[in-house]
């Protein structure tokens, strides 16, 4: 069993839908990251959080430390949100352990 | 200009060849990382460096070597490339405080024939 599990692996939505991507992890962590990988391959950091909730535009990330679970929500989804979303956890130092990613496709 | 620059962006080469992937950063970060990404496996850590004199093996270092030539430069070498090293390779940086997320380069797509 991977230390970081994401669900679903693939998600297809219609433009405007509310989207949730889940991440569960099995180790104690100091921080959790949500990353976005564009179709061309580049990776950008969306959020780093260790408790509670963060919001940036239409993106919301939450984490429940006790349940070892995080969610990434996208409100009013748009085709440009189509990407792979990756959850990564930091257990010690600054080394990250990555989930396999969730491929999101938003259709117009 | 990108904060983390990888060269080349794409490379196709033959089995047995020596390959070097280069990474440079303008973030001023002490910590640098090399990852590979394979379909269905997520990113896996190859090597990392916390400063110029520090080199550490990651999960999958066999078949690879690295050099931290300066704070801003971290290169990855495949001494004798083999087909199962075909992957997308990413360089990343982070600050030493661990309070900032990692910054990634745009990736190098490497194909070994």
């Amino acid at each position: 069993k991977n230390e970081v599990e994401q669900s679903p692996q693939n998600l297809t939505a219609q433009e405007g839908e509310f989207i949730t991507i889940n991440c569960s992890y099995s180790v104690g962590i100091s921080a959790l990251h949500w990353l976005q990988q564009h179709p061309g391959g580049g990776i950008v950091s969306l959020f780093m959080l260790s408790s509670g909730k963060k919001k940036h535009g239409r993106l919301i990330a939450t984490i429940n430390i006790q349940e070892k679970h995080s969610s990434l929500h996208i409100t009013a989804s748009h085709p440009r949100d189509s990407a792979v979303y990756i959850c990564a956890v930091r257990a010690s130092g600054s080394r990250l352990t990555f989930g396999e990613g969730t491929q999101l496709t938003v259709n117009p | 200009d990108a904060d983390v620059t990888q060269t080349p962006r794409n490379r196709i080469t033959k089995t047995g060849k020596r390959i070097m992937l280069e990474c440079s950063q303008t973030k001023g970060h002490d910590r640098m990382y090399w990852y590979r990404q394979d379909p269905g496996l997520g990113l896996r850590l190859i090597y990392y460096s916390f400063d110029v004199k520090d080199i550490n093996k990651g999960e999958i270092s066999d078949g690879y070597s690295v050099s931290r030539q300066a704070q801003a430069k971290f290169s990855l070498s495949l001494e004798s490339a083999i087909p199962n090293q075909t992957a997308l390779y990413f360089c990343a940086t982070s600050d030493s405080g661990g309070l900032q997320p990692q910054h990634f380069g745009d990736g190098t797509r490497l194909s070994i024939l």
Side-chain angles (χ1 to χ4, degrees), chain A residues 8-47:
Chain A
Q9 287 186 320
N10 293 280
L11 180 57
T12 300
Q14 288 301 122
E15 184 172 356
E17 286 184 1
F18 180 83
I19 288 164
T20 296
I21 299 170
N22 296 300
C23 176
S24 297
Y25 53 92
S26 58
V27 297
I29 67 169
S30 58
L32 181 143
H33 300 249
W34 281 103
L35 309 167
Q36 181 191 52
Q37 185 170 21
H38 298 293
I43 296 175
V44 296
S45 179
L46 298 174
F47 294 104

Side-chain angles (χ1 to χ4, degrees), chain A residues 60-81:
Chain A
I60 304 167
T62 65
I63 188 168
N64 185 317
I65 296 294
Q66 288 74 27
E67 294 185 4
K68 293 186 167 63
H69 181 268
S70 176
S71 293
L72 176 68
H73 306 285
I74 304 175
T75 61
S77 60
H78 189 277
R80 66 175 174 266
D81 296 326

